[in-house]
Amino acid sequence: MTQIIPKKLIAVENNWQKVLSSAFSDPLALLTYLDLDPKQFEDDIAARRLFPMRVPLPFAARMKKGDANDALFRQVFPDKKEFLNDPNYLLDPLKEQNNDKPGVLHKYQSRVLLLVRGGCAVNCRYCFRRHFPYSDNHLNKLKWQETLDYIKQDVNINEVIYSGGDPLMAKDDFLAWLTQEIVNIKHITRIRIHTRLPVVIPSRITPELIQWFTKTRLKPVMVLHINHPQEIDQLMRDALKKLTDAGVTLLNQGVLLKNINDSIEVQVALSESLFDAGVLPYYLHVMDKVQGAQHFDQDDNVAKGIMAGMIKRLPGFLVPKLVREIGGQPGKTPIDLNLHP
């Protein structure tokens, strides 16, 4: 069925920075837009003090109006459960906040992750970096040069990953400069971007982005963050096609979220929708145990059961790897799919 996209939304979408600046940051404004009664959410709204709310219009437009249990709405709207304190859920679940070199996470031998920008276009309430000190990891041009020198000196590194926050919050002229500097490092062969911005603001895929990302000797890879098939609309498909046409490998990392995407049916539909949009499922993460998000966490045995169902219903190339990230480990930790009673 052809999706009808409102003309107003298409017009707004023409300038991604304008879309970003007009994102919903007031919970009451988002509730009004979605025809939801603010009285239902009086206790939840206070949680914005713990972590600000930010929701761009193109993402909000995919939410079902009048539905307080909408899968996209629940990922981004504050919840009173965020005030619960559980000692098993930490401010720094992946042990990233005491990184030796500001702006750089060198967890894996052959890859280095650069915190290009703090902040995101959408604030997902389960974010494992919701407490990350981005202000301490902001780099000026001199510090970026020190980072580039660090990469030059380690010939074991062959891939540079742009992360954040969301690296595509940075402007294209800065990203073009940084990418060219990395191109000049002979032992780097791939550049990878981890981002949710093309999902929530598809117009972020600009001609300038295509130019600096794909017109070099480096192999371009983009890892998106999509948790539910409802997140994939025609605007996003059109934007992603520009990337695939330019030779970008598109992968997806999702997070298993309780009462949002924790069923075989939703995960199968997500994998099929991803492939239809030119994206291969890559990882399905069990949620990182970050303080304030424990209500999203799902039991490992439920995750294993979902994976078993996906394996029965999908070809192997559409089944993501079920993994957990453990702070200090040299890679993702696969979760054994042997089901236990």
Side-chain angles (χ1 to χ4, degrees):
M1 185 173 67
T2 302
Q3 183 178 13
I4 299 174
I5 302 167
K7 290 181 180 179
K8 180 181 177 183
L9 184 56
I10 294 173
V12 170
E13 269 279 304
N14 288 335
N15 185 323
W16 73 271
Q17 289 171 302
K18 186 177 289 186
V19 179
L20 181 64
S21 66
S22 61
F24 291 102
S25 58
D26 179 354
L28 291 175
L30 181 60
L31 293 173
T32 300
Y33 173 77
L34 294 173
D35 299 329
L36 291 169
D37 183 359
K39 292 180 181 178
Q40 283 185 259
F41 302 94
E42 286 178 348
D43 295 335
D44 297 309
I45 288 172
R48 68 187 293 199
R49 300 198 308 266
L50 302 176
F51 189 41
M53 190 197 82
R54 180 184 250 179
V55 186
L57 175 60
F59 194 69
R62 296 170 219 165
M63 298 175 185
K64 297 173 185 173
K65 293 195 172 185
D67 185 356
N69 292 313
D70 178 79
L72 277 58
F73 173 73
R74 294 195 60 235
Q75 291 181 54
V76 298
F77 197 80
D79 192 307
K80 62 186 176 184
K81 298 186 185 76
E82 295 175 44
F83 286 103
L84 298 175
N85 246 328
D86 185 322
N88 295 312
Y89 293 80
L90 310 173
L91 295 175
D92 185 18
L94 301 187
K95 301 178 181 177
E96 294 182 335
Q97 294 184 19
N98 293 319
N99 49 318
D100 295 333
K101 192 168 184 57
V104 179
L105 295 175
H106 195 175
K107 303 181 185 182
Y108 316 123
Q109 183 177 6
S110 64
R111 288 96 72 205
V112 66
L113 187 149
L114 304 184
L115 298 173
V116 175
R117 277 291 300 269
C120 294
V122 63
N123 285 347
C124 303
R125 310 308 296 181
Y126 52 86
C127 178
F128 70 95
R129 289 190 183 136
R130 59 182 281 165
H131 307 290
F132 193 84
Y134 287 112
S135 59
D136 297 338
N137 286 269
H138 177 72
L139 303 185
N140 57 28
K141 214 66 174 279
L142 178 61
K143 291 293 183 182
W144 274 117
Q145 197 56 59
E146 291 177 8
T147 296
L148 293 164
D149 290 341
Y150 173 82
I151 297 171
K152 288 176 187 175
Q153 291 163 14
D154 190 342
V155 296
N156 293 310
I157 300 170
N158 64 13
E159 181 174 11
V160 173
I161 301 169
Y162 291 174
S163 185
D166 195 309
L168 293 187
M169 292 282 278
K171 293 180 180 179
D172 283 319
D173 56 355
F174 170 77
L175 292 166
W177 169 80
L178 181 59
T179 302
Q180 186 54 53
E181 292 296 314
I182 290 166
V183 168
N184 294 336
I185 303 174
K186 292 182 180 179
H187 52 88
I188 304 302
T189 60
R190 287 188 303 275
I191 185 167
R192 192 194 325 174
I193 299 173
H194 282 225
T195 181
R196 190 149 163 77
L197 228 161
V199 180
V200 300
I201 304 179
S203 59
R204 180 61 187 93
I205 306 303
T206 61
E208 293 80 10
L209 183 151
I210 298 290
Q211 181 68 30
W212 63 256
F213 188 37
T214 68
K215 306 303 182 184
T216 76
R217 64 174 182 82
L218 302 177
K219 296 290 185 183
V221 179
M222 183 176 285
V223 181
L224 299 162
H225 175 187
I226 303 168
N227 296 318
H228 196 278
Q230 190 179 323
E231 297 180 33
I232 302 172
D233 69 349
Q234 192 58 49
L235 283 173
M236 196 185 84
R237 288 190 191 94
D238 292 344
L240 297 185
K241 188 174 187 302
K242 297 175 186 177
L243 292 167
T244 54
D245 286 350
V248 179
T249 297
L250 294 178
L251 305 171
N252 185 62
Q253 290 190 142
V255 180
L256 189 68
L257 301 168
K258 190 173 185 176
N259 298 325
I260 290 177
N261 63 3
D262 56 339
S263 73
I264 297 169
E265 290 72 23
V266 170
Q267 288 295 332
V268 167
L270 175 58
S271 283
E272 294 284 9
S273 297
L274 286 169
F275 189 68
D276 184 57
V279 185
L280 276 177
Y282 177 35
Y283 284 137
L284 177 60
H285 287 257
V286 296
M287 202 197 78
D288 299 314
K289 294 185 180 296
V290 62
Q291 188 180 106
Q294 50 266 41
H295 53 292
F296 289 110
D297 204 2
Q298 184 53 281
D299 184 85
D300 278 9
N301 278 337
V302 173
K304 294 174 185 179
I306 291 169
M307 290 300 298
M310 293 175 72
I311 289 168
K312 288 179 182 177
R313 292 174 55 176
L314 290 168
F317 62 88
L318 291 187
V319 179
K321 297 175 185 174
L322 182 65
V323 296
R324 167 179 281 111
E325 188 152 9
I326 300 172
Q329 293 298 307
K332 304 290 190 297
T333 301
I335 294 177
D336 182 359
L337 292 186
N338 290 327
L339 294 174
H340 305 293

